[in-house]
Every structure is written in structure tokens, then in C-alpha cells.
Amino acid sequence: DGDALGAASALATFLDNHNIQRRIWCLTPPPSTLMFLPHAHEVSSDPTIWKTESFDTIIVVDSGDLKYAGVADHIYNLPYTTTLIVIDHHTTNQNYGDINLVITNASSTNEILYSFFVVNHEPITALMATALMTGLITDTGTFTNAGTSRISLSVGGELIRRGADIKMIKQEIITDKSLPTLKLWGEVLSRLTLHEPTGIVYTYIQQKDLQRYHVNEEQSEGVANFLNFLEEGRAAMVLKEREDHTYKGSFRTTRNDLDVSAWAKLFGGGGHVKAAGFSVSLPLDQTIAYILSSVEKFEQEKNSGK
């Protein structure tokens, strides 16, 4: 996402400035909406680099654990010793690195990186500022969600002062929506359902929806964040069917008395107190029933003091 790729891009520029050789790797290729970022075209998803190259240091950004980052098998099977550095802001982070720069009250990984650069007197170029601002904007929902703070707003102002291209970020990530994409959103929003026992308002996106409207998966992003503006319910949930027919789920809430990362953990996921994700490998109807019943049971046990 924008926070992960923005952080990787800013770090790549920082390393280049110090003439340090590096590679950028991600389990999946960057979405087209983020290809404007510096170094985005250099991102590799080729797993063979873990066998054909060796690395003194591996930096994992914006991921609570190695499995979620998609590098667990690669790193655990390295035939040599390396230093693992983790830079992240997820509350579910397991501090799995040799060095952990994990600040859970930061709005984004890029907010942490900004402070790292400032504290170490590193010049923040316009390219770095644009990368850092991308992560800040995507993880705060353009400074509208609960992750927004006095610090994040201040950092945003400083990044604009240092040359962040806010106009391009806005155009690529926020405003440019095609007619087919908006039609898909209409279909998805028409399915909104409130599960009263849990207070979860949920909807879903299936592969056949993407095919019907000729929209790819990345163009369907943004529905979960949009549902942050719902008045009804305690939290929103969007289920998105992957090509392998598993479902990727996203929880969102604006309430201060609710931790949706605890819900996501029930299904092997994690994330933030107010925004978390997970995966379920069941058909749609069974997936919905399983999630709602599990959350309902969890809330009942929590309220009863078990």
C-alpha cells in the first residue's frame, strides 16, 4: 500500500544518497496508482533473488510480522546471517527484528521515517518528501481518520515545505476514479448490511463483480476507508474475494472504545486499533457467518469478564 511503498521508496533514496547498494522486494507488484513514486519501477517480486543474492541487512517496513510481509519463508531459510531491521507502527507488531523501530502511536510508518531522518540530520529531498507524504496520506485517509494527530498534521506541513508533490499524490490516489469503478462502488454499497449483535456493517466484492464492471482489484480499493463515515453500527467490514477464491477482510471503526485489531487476530490477521485486516478461506456465506459468530462470541466473553 501507500505507506509500505512510500517507506521503501524514501529509504531507497536515502540509501542511494549514501552510495549504499540495495534492492526493493515485495510479494506483489506495486499497483498502478503508486507507480508515480520514486523507485516504484524497481520493485521486484521475483523470489529467486533470495537465492541468487546475499544481503548484509534486511529492512522490513510497515508489517507486523514476516508472514504478513510475505518474506517469512525466504528469511528463515537464508544460508547466512543477516541483520533484520523492522520499522513499523502496527499495534500487533511482534518486535521480530534484531533492531525494532516500532512506534505504535504513529499515524504511519512514514511518519516514523520522517522523524528518523530529522533526528539524524538527513536531508529530506523533494523525492523523499513525496514518498513520505504518500504514506502519511494513505494511512490517515487524507487526514480524516482516527490516526490523524497533531504530529501527523505537523509532519504533513513540513513535507509540503520540503517539496512533496501533494497535487500528484491527490490525483493518483484520491480523485481519479473511472466510471466503471464508481459503478462497482454503487453495487458494493447497495449490499451494506448491519449485523446488530456485533454492530458490524458489512459488504463484499466478488471476482464476478470485477469482471462485470471491467475493473481490476486495485481499482476497487478505498471502499473500506469510505465506510469510516458511516453513522450506523460500531464498525465496518469489507470482504474482497481474491483470484484463489479466499477472502481478504478489512475492519474499520472510528469509535474510541473498540479495538478491531483484536477482531482481526481471531482470524490470524492484525493491524491497528481502528483499522485491521485478515484472510478467510471459506465460501462467501460461510465466511460471513464465521466472522460474525466469532466476533459475537469474542465480545460476549469479553463483556462477561472471561
Side-chain angles (χ1 to χ4, degrees):
D1 65 3
D3 196 25
L5 193 59
S9 178
L11 278 171
T13 304
F14 158 69
L15 294 171
D16 289 348
N17 292 342
H18 287 270
N19 297 314
I20 298 173
Q21 292 185 330
R22 48 80 186 163
R23 294 290 297 270
I24 309 175
W25 192 89
C26 185
L27 182 64
T28 55
S32 61
T33 53
L34 293 174
M35 290 306 294
F36 70 91
L37 283 171
H39 311 296
H41 64 283
E42 301 171 24
V43 176
S44 172
S45 297
D46 182 1
T48 62
I49 72 167
W50 298 98
K51 296 180 179 179
T52 59
E53 300 184 37
S54 61
F55 304 96
D56 298 307
T57 303
I58 297 172
I59 306 174
V60 180
V61 294
D62 198 42
S63 184
D65 57 64
L66 291 178
K67 181 179 179 182
Y68 184 78
V71 294
D73 291 340
H74 300 301
I75 291 179
Y76 289 145
N77 294 317
L78 289 177
Y80 55 86
T81 301
T82 185
T83 299
L84 180 62
I85 300 175
V86 175
I87 306 176
D88 186 31
H89 69 126
H90 290 89
T91 57
T92 52
N93 191 287
Q94 300 173 1
N95 291 294
Y96 52 91
D98 299 306
I99 300 172
N100 298 288
L101 180 54
V102 178
I103 303 175
T104 57
N105 62 353
S107 69
S108 58
T109 299
N110 282 274
E111 181 182 309
I112 299 171
L113 271 179
Y114 169 83
S115 298
F116 171 80
F117 294 141
V118 170
V119 167
N120 287 283
H121 306 290
E122 284 294 331
I124 298 177
T125 65
L127 290 178
M128 292 169 69
T130 296
L132 295 169
M133 178 64 92
T134 299
L136 199 63
I137 282 180
T138 53
D139 264 29
T140 61
T142 321
F143 303 106
T144 62
N145 66 26
T148 306
S149 67
R150 176 185 60 82
I151 294 175
S152 62
L153 290 170
S154 176
V155 170
E158 277 298 307
L159 291 174
I160 292 175
R161 187 178 70 83
R162 294 170 188 256
D165 193 337
I166 189 72
K167 181 179 180 181
M168 180 170 62
I169 297 171
K170 178 182 176 183
Q171 178 178 317
E172 295 291 340
I173 296 177
I174 304 167
T175 59
D176 283 3
K177 295 287 186 293
S178 67
L179 183 58
T181 298
L182 293 177
K183 287 184 176 180
L184 171 67
W185 277 41
E187 178 90 14
V188 173
L189 295 176
S190 71
R191 296 171 178 161
L192 284 171
T193 305
L194 171 63
H195 182 252
E196 294 188 359
T198 58
I200 295 175
V201 179
Y202 66 89
T203 186
Y204 57 87
I205 304 172
Q206 293 183 287
Q207 285 292 313
K208 62 183 180 182
D209 299 323
L210 303 181
Q211 296 165 7
R212 180 184 307 123
Y213 293 103
H214 305 288
V215 172
N216 60 39
E217 187 170 336
E218 68 183 66
Q219 290 174 300
S220 66
E221 295 289 344
V223 177
N225 287 331
F226 179 77
L227 294 181
N228 263 331
F229 301 103
L230 268 177
E231 291 183 359
E232 291 81 8
R234 301 172 65 215
M237 177 179 73
V238 176
L239 297 172
K240 185 181 297 183
E241 185 183 21
R242 296 190 178 105
E243 290 185 357
D244 62 0
H245 303 300
T246 62
Y247 280 88
K248 175 184 176 183
S250 299
F251 286 128
R252 296 289 188 275
T253 187
T254 57
R255 294 176 62 113
N256 293 324
D257 61 346
L258 188 60
D259 178 2
V260 294
S261 69
W263 290 357
K265 284 182 181 179
L266 299 174
F267 316 107
H272 310 293
V273 171
K274 298 183 184 299
F278 59 94
S279 296
V280 176
S281 301
L282 292 170
L284 178 62
D285 290 345
Q286 294 178 40
T287 292
I288 294 173
Y290 170 54
I291 294 169
L292 296 178
S293 62
S294 297
V295 172
E296 184 176 357
K297 181 180 178 182
F298 173 82
E299 288 294 305
Q300 289 172 347
E301 292 179 350
K302 185 179 70 173
N303 293 333
S304 65
K306 291 185 178 181

